[in-house]
Structure formats: structure tokens, C-alpha cells
Amino acid sequence: MRDLLKTKIPMALPAMLAVQSFGTMCGFAGAVVVVQASADLGVRSTNIGLFTACLYVAAMLSGLSAGGILARFGVIRSSQFALLATALGLILAAVAPGWPMVLAAAALIGLGTGMLNPAGSHILSRHAPLRWQPFVFSVKQTGTPMGGMLAGLLLPPLIAFYDWRLALAAIAAIPLITLLGLQLIRNGLDDDRDPGARIDLAGIIDALRLVVTSRPLLTLAIAGYFFTFAQLALLSFIVVFLVQAKGLDTAVAGSVFAIIHGSAIPARIAWGAMAGRFVSSWFLLGLIGLMMSASIVAMSYFDQTWPFWRTAIVAVGLGVSTNGVLGLLLSEFARLAPPDKVGEATGGGQFFLFFGIVSGPPLFGLVVEHGGGYTNAFHMIAAVAFVAGGYLLCTAGRNRDTL
């Protein structure tokens, strides 16, 4: 631990944790307000899948361009741009007169979201000793469930007191304040920026080529695609499922949403502490995939007669599994990348992860509407997670040396 404290990690890690938390909060806000917003806008609540898809298509593209942006402007300035985009996206959604502008707001949030992981990976891999990287990355990635927990806790009472539009506008103040605070540490952390660095299409292509030409990176990217496919399908629809299909109050459903995210915070730290020390990240990701599948199946049988403690246990299982994989995946992308290509490798790997996010929620919504309802949809994403986890477990021994 002493070697870690001698680096810039004590300054960089809290900054990236805040950026990840508040940027992700903006991305999850739509899943919490969807029931009220869809009624006001005159669309079906299952359209949250299209909202999520628009958000992450934009995130995929901005993530691919992250390498050049980070090199030219530095991590802190790029993070400030990201937080500004997510905040403005929330504000645009709050004032949107109709569904098309809400989708434009989703794309704006996505432009910021796509920068979060490459920015954090770039600076943490630069300053953290190699043996500490799985732990440091997992701590930073607790910002993702923390952001979801904040959305689940802050938005329902704001909706109850005011409405969904004012609720979105109110929480947009949080990333705006944060980006101003980041200016205080910019000089200390953006010391590697190169004002002459190019931002062009070639950089985007290079990021994808870096992943697809490396077997370990490509394998992780494909497994990550299946994990995020299941993860965001679940997280996008869990509130709608509990409120509209099962009759829960929005505040109670928001609490379940918060438990899913809140339980992932200590879980991500624990997974990061275990990975590489007691068990390989490859094997651990496989176990988490099987846990994800079992928890999703359990939630598919939810009934309003369940006592809250039973619902909470299932929610914890969902949190530690569906929200537990990303930190391990990102630390592996960074570890396997060439030293000067961490941002590109993370952006390229993130393209596959976000493609799972883009395709999962819309397909989940289609199965709900036309394929037999929520039970079949839950079982579909459980099967996807099971396949990914099972494959990683079966190949863990073969890939121990390369990974």
C-alpha cells in the first residue's frame, strides 16, 4: 500500500470516482423516471430501451475517439467535457416537448458517458503500480453503481414533491458543480497532455484494430458484450417491471434499484482485491457470470407477496453480479494494452461493451411486447450471462498464462 500512496493515485482516484459516479447518475436517470415521463410524453414505457440504445450508440462513438481527445486535452479537461455533456443532456430532457428531443438528450448524455471509462483507465494505469491496478480500477468502477444508487434515491422523492422534469433539472446541478471543482487539480493531473495530438478517424479505426487483432482482448470484449447485454437490459427495465407489471410503488421500486447499485459498491472492491491475488480475473469473471444468470432467474419469479427482505436478497445478488464485472474487464483491457495505448484499448473494448448495452434493452423490450412477457425476457438475458460465464470458466486454465 505504501508504494501506491507515493503516487498520484490519492489525488487521481477520488477525482475519477466522482466523475464516474455523477456521470453515470445522469445515464441511469431515465430508467428511474421512465414511468412518469412516458405517460407525459405519450409513449410506451418500454421505449426506455430505445432511449438507452441512443445513449450508448453515442457513447460507443465518443469512446472510440477518446484516445486522441485524452492525449490532446488531458484526462481532467476531458472529464470536464464529459460532465458538461451529461448535465446538459439531463436539462434538455427536462425541457423536451416531445419524444424526439428526449432521444437527442440521450445522445448528448451518451457523448459524455463514452469518455468516462477511457479517461479513468488512462490516468489510473499511468500512476498505479501493476499489482494494484485491479483493485484501483474496481474502486473507480464503484462509481457506476454509486451513480445508479444516487439516481434511485434522489429522483423518486423529487418526482413526488415536484415532477420528473424538475427532478432531472435538479440533479443536473451535481455534475456541473463537480466539473468546476476539477479545475483545482487540473495542473497536477493533466501534465501529460499534448496540444498537438490529432483527433481523427484513423484513431477510431486504430482503437478497434487494437482489440480485434489481439486474441485475449477480443475474447474479453466478446464476453463483456454478453455481460453488458444482460446488465443494461435488467437495469433499464427493473423499475418498469416492478411498478407496471408487479404493482409496486415507485418509491419502493426505486429502493430496489438503489439496493442493486448500492450492493455493488463493496462487491466491486472485493472482486478487485481478489483478482490476480487469490484467483485469476478470467476465472472470477466466469463465476460472476453464473451468479448473474441465477440472480436474474430469481428476479423473474418476483411476486408482490414477497417480504421485502427476500426482494432485497435477490437485489443484492443482482448488484454484486451484474454490476460487478466492469472493473475487472477494464483493468484487464488496460493491463493487456501497449503502455502508450491504454486509452485506445479501453475505448476499443468499451465499444463492444456498449454494443451489448445498445442491443440488450431494445431486444428485451421486444421480447416483453411480442415474445411472451417479462418472464421470457428475463430468461433470455439469464441465458446470455450463463453462456459468457460458462465459457470463461471452461477456458480459464488455458488462458491463465496469457491473462
Side-chain angles (χ1 to χ4, degrees):
M1 179 65 75
R2 188 173 300 172
D3 57 336
L4 185 66
L5 296 177
K6 290 180 180 179
T7 68
K8 290 188 178 182
I9 290 297
M11 178 168 54
L13 182 55
M16 292 299 100
L17 179 59
V19 170
Q20 189 77 27
S21 299
F22 302 140
T24 304
M25 177 190 69
C26 297
F28 280 126
V32 180
V33 305
V34 58
V35 175
Q36 293 78 13
S38 60
D40 189 19
L41 296 168
V43 297
R44 293 183 176 182
S45 57
T46 51
N47 279 13
I48 184 61
L50 183 58
F51 177 92
T52 303
C54 286
L55 192 157
Y56 282 99
V57 165
M60 289 165 66
L61 298 177
S62 68
L64 286 176
S65 64
I69 294 174
L70 292 168
R72 182 166 183 170
F73 297 106
V75 167
I76 297 301
R77 180 65 82 222
S78 300
S79 298
Q80 289 174 312
F81 291 154
L83 290 176
L84 180 61
T86 58
L88 292 179
L90 282 187
I91 294 171
L92 180 59
V95 301
W99 182 241
M101 190 173 289
V102 171
L103 294 182
L108 186 55
I109 296 171
L111 289 177
T113 300
M115 290 298 302
L116 300 179
N117 288 324
S121 296
H122 178 92
I123 195 167
L124 297 181
S125 64
R126 181 179 169 220
H127 293 294
L130 185 62
R131 71 189 186 95
W132 284 105
Q133 286 189 11
F135 175 74
V136 168
F137 273 72
S138 293
V139 171
K140 192 273 290 186
Q141 284 306 125
T142 62
T144 298
M146 197 175 296
M149 183 177 66
L150 287 171
L153 292 177
L154 294 177
L155 286 167
L158 289 171
I159 294 170
F161 282 113
Y162 303 102
D163 62 19
W164 67 273
R165 294 182 183 273
L166 285 175
L168 291 182
I171 68 168
I174 299 175
L176 290 175
I177 293 171
T178 303
L179 73 88
L180 294 176
L182 289 176
Q183 189 63 32
L184 299 175
I185 59 173
R186 189 190 177 214
N187 289 338
L189 294 179
D190 276 357
D191 54 333
D192 64 333
R193 63 185 183 274
D194 177 10
R198 297 179 60 186
I199 304 172
D200 53 25
L201 183 61
I204 294 176
I205 296 173
D206 287 343
L208 281 176
R209 183 184 295 119
L210 184 63
V211 173
V212 299
T213 57
S214 167
R215 183 175 178 179
L217 286 175
L218 182 59
T219 303
L220 284 172
I222 293 173
Y225 165 81
F226 286 120
F227 286 146
T228 56
F229 182 101
Q231 177 196 38
L232 258 291
L234 173 81
L235 296 178
S236 295
F237 281 89
I238 188 67
V239 173
V240 180
F241 167 69
L242 293 174
V243 173
Q244 292 192 335
K246 298 300 180 179
L248 287 189
D249 180 77
T250 301
V252 178
S255 298
V256 174
F257 190 82
I259 290 172
I260 291 174
H261 289 283
S263 61
I265 295 172
R268 287 196 179 200
I269 296 173
W271 297 144
M274 292 171 59
R277 297 180 180 181
F278 307 106
V279 64
S280 73
S281 295
W282 194 272
F283 186 81
L284 186 57
L285 283 166
L287 289 178
I288 295 172
L290 298 188
M291 186 187 306
M292 185 187 308
S293 178
S295 300
I296 292 170
V297 170
M299 181 55 76
S300 72
Y301 293 107
F302 172 83
D303 188 271
Q304 196 175 10
T305 60
W306 281 16
F308 187 76
W309 63 264
R310 183 185 298 175
T311 308
I313 289 175
V314 175
V316 169
L318 290 170
V320 301
S321 58
T322 60
N323 269 338
V325 297
L326 196 55
L328 296 178
L329 287 168
L330 291 174
S331 69
E332 287 298 291
F333 283 131
R335 186 179 68 84
L336 294 167
D340 59 340
K341 296 289 184 181
V342 173
E344 288 86 341
T346 306
Q350 180 178 263
F351 181 88
F352 287 85
L353 303 183
F354 283 178
F355 186 52
I357 291 171
V358 167
S359 52
L363 185 55
F364 188 97
L366 284 175
V367 175
V368 171
E369 293 285 346
H370 307 291
Y374 279 101
T375 299
N376 286 350
F378 275 114
H379 290 175
M380 174 194 69
I381 61 173
V384 166
F386 184 86
V387 168
Y391 176 78
L392 292 179
L393 283 178
C394 291
T395 57
R398 185 200 321 163
N399 290 282
R400 184 179 294 115
D401 294 334
T402 58
L403 294 173

